[in-house]
Amino acid sequence: MRTFRLSGSRPLFFAATLLLTPVATGDSAGAQEFPPDAVKGKAVYERHCLACHGAGGRGDGPDAAALTVPPANFHRFKSFLKSDEELLRTIEHGVVFSPMHEWQEQLTETERQDALAYIRQLVQQGH
Ligand code: HEC
């Protein structure tokens, strides 16, 4: 019969992972050092998002008419009620089978957060 032996370092590694896990997941929303900047977000939005989502975020940009899947209208409750995290995930990874592609390569995390801050501002101001 064989006895099962753990190597010396493994239990320590497990203990360290258990200790670190709550810290690593608990603070994921605060990855950015400063609050998102809607002014910078406006520039990002106008350059990369406006063509589809429209100047006011109503999904009526100049390219929208040519798309089979309409761009999201951020004023609709469907979008408005989603959490920042959820929308940021969409911006990062895109939406499958839709013209909304992923932005994780083209934009930094800060730029994506700024763009969302600008979108929230558009909706708040009722543009
Ligand atoms: C080529 C057109 C196009 C461009 C450019 C584009 N989007 Fe989109 N976007 C879409 C479409 C289409 C959808 C809706 C997909 C669906 O839900 O079916 C969408 C959905 C979204 C959603 C999800 C809304 C929700 O309610 O879940 C967010 C957030 C978003 N876009 C942000 C952005 C941002 C930020 C940019 C610029 C960095 C951008 N989009 C650029 C077409 C575009």
Side-chain angles (χ1 to χ4, degrees):
M1 196 170 125
R2 284 214 283 155
T3 44
F4 183 68
R5 282 204 300 160
L6 285 171
S7 75
S9 63
R10 208 158 272 177
L12 246 183
F13 171 74
F14 277 129
T17 339
L18 281 177
L19 275 174
L20 288 174
T21 309
V23 181
T25 53
D27 200 32
S28 64
Q32 197 177 356
E33 278 175 55
F34 303 102
D37 185 339
V39 175
K40 286 192 189 141
K42 182 174 195 279
V44 175
Y45 184 87
E46 287 177 347
R47 177 135 179 243
H48 298 287
C49 323
L50 187 149
C52 289
H53 289 284
R58 296 193 178 275
D60 56 358
D63 289 356
L67 302 173
T68 17
V69 180
N73 173 352
F74 299 123
H75 295 260
R76 293 183 54 193
F77 275 118
K78 185 171 161 282
S79 296
F80 177 71
L81 292 177
K82 286 180 183 162
S83 69
D84 286 357
E85 299 243 309
E86 200 173 345
L87 294 179
L88 283 170
R89 249 195 328 266
T90 300
I91 299 170
E92 195 175 346
H93 301 292
V95 179
V96 275
F97 303 123
S98 99
M100 177 67 191
H101 61 255
E102 54 171 54
W103 292 92
Q104 57 179 343
E105 303 285 321
Q106 290 98 316
L107 300 175
T108 65
E109 187 182 359
T110 307
E111 286 171 324
R112 295 192 299 265
Q113 291 179 345
D114 290 349
L116 179 63
Y118 180 64
I119 288 169
R120 293 291 198 201
Q121 185 180 297
L122 279 179
V123 174
Q124 238 170 35
Q125 295 175 346
H127 281 291

